[in-house]
Amino acid sequence: MMLIPDLFWAYLVAITLLTITPGVDTLLVMRNTGRGGFRDGCVTSVGICSGLFIHAALSALGISLLLVETAWAFSALKWAGACYLVWLGIGSLRQALRRGAAPAAHAEPMARRELTVAVSFREGLLSNVLNPKTALFYMALLPQFVDPAGNAFQQSLMLAGVHFLLAMLWQCGLAWVMVTFRGLGMTTRMKRVLNGLTGGFFVAMGAKLAST
């Protein structure tokens, strides 16, 4: 199902501006890259961007509209997202305050790497899916660029696919920059400062989300 060219280019501009605007997703990718390297940053991005298809499907099916019109359902989603952001923030703050030697590299390295990848993907996916602002954005934005004469579900997934590619390029680029600067001498203290800043931001965002 092809999209209207004029609508597609307008969507491309809008979604590019949205993608490069710093937010929770950006900081989560940066934090996880600092924790586990370039691969963990990219896996986090895959998790975040996979959530876009869920929001697109819900938007096309009208479930997002139902969530907005049903006060208790939207409140439940908002509180789930707020609690998850606070939980992520506390984890980052704990890493910032942690002292001592790093874990031993010989302790099941392969199993440890696989666990880290799974955690990074889950953190990214949940961060996106539990973000009510993303649901609202997709509910409000996608219908503006969908041809009403065509299949809304297919068009929504195609638009989410474009967003997926743009966000992956941007976030993986950020992960590469993080790894490059670390290779140029990013110290343990700098990592702790980054974890402290991101942890404080996540907690503050969670508290703000819960209070609105």
Side-chain angles (χ1 to χ4, degrees):
M1 183 65 62
M2 298 301 294
L3 300 168
I4 299 176
D6 291 343
L7 293 180
F8 174 77
W9 289 112
Y11 172 79
L12 191 61
V13 172
I15 211 66
T16 299
L17 294 175
L18 175 70
T19 299
I20 64 177
T21 301
V24 173
D25 292 345
T26 301
L27 288 179
L28 184 61
V29 169
M30 293 174 64
R31 189 202 72 168
N32 288 0
T33 301
R35 178 186 67 189
F38 179 72
R39 185 180 62 174
D40 277 11
C42 290
V43 171
T44 303
S45 180
V46 172
I48 291 170
C49 296
S50 296
L52 300 176
F53 291 105
I54 297 176
H55 286 295
L58 294 179
S59 176
L61 294 173
I63 298 177
S64 293
L65 181 61
L66 178 64
L67 283 174
V68 173
E69 293 184 345
T70 307
W72 70 266
F74 184 73
S75 295
L77 177 64
K78 182 181 71 174
W79 276 98
C83 290
Y84 185 67
L85 282 176
V86 171
W87 181 78
L88 282 177
I90 292 174
S92 292
L93 291 173
R94 289 178 61 187
Q95 291 182 19
L97 296 173
R98 185 176 300 162
R99 296 179 180 274
H106 57 78
E108 298 181 340
M110 184 59 68
R112 183 179 181 83
R113 283 195 292 268
E114 291 176 354
L115 176 62
T116 303
V117 167
V119 169
S120 295
F121 179 84
R122 184 180 70 241
E123 288 178 345
L125 180 65
L126 290 178
S127 175
N128 186 275
V129 171
L130 294 178
N131 189 346
K133 292 184 178 180
T134 306
L136 285 171
F137 174 80
Y138 262 66
M139 183 205 68
L141 183 70
L142 285 194
Q144 310 301 321
F145 302 102
V146 170
D147 181 4
N151 187 306
F153 186 78
Q154 291 181 8
Q155 292 180 77
S156 295
L157 292 183
M158 288 179 64
L159 292 171
V162 174
H163 193 183
F164 180 97
L165 292 175
L166 285 174
M168 281 292 298
L169 288 172
W170 175 252
Q171 292 168 1
C172 289
L174 289 177
W176 178 83
V177 170
M178 286 283 297
V179 171
T180 300
F181 276 103
R182 183 176 64 182
L184 293 176
M186 187 174 184
T187 64
T188 301
R189 182 174 181 177
M190 293 172 64
K191 293 179 185 179
R192 291 175 58 192
V193 169
L194 176 62
N195 280 324
L197 291 174
T198 54
F201 180 83
F202 285 152
V203 171
M205 285 294 296
K208 181 179 180 181
L209 183 61
S211 64
T212 56

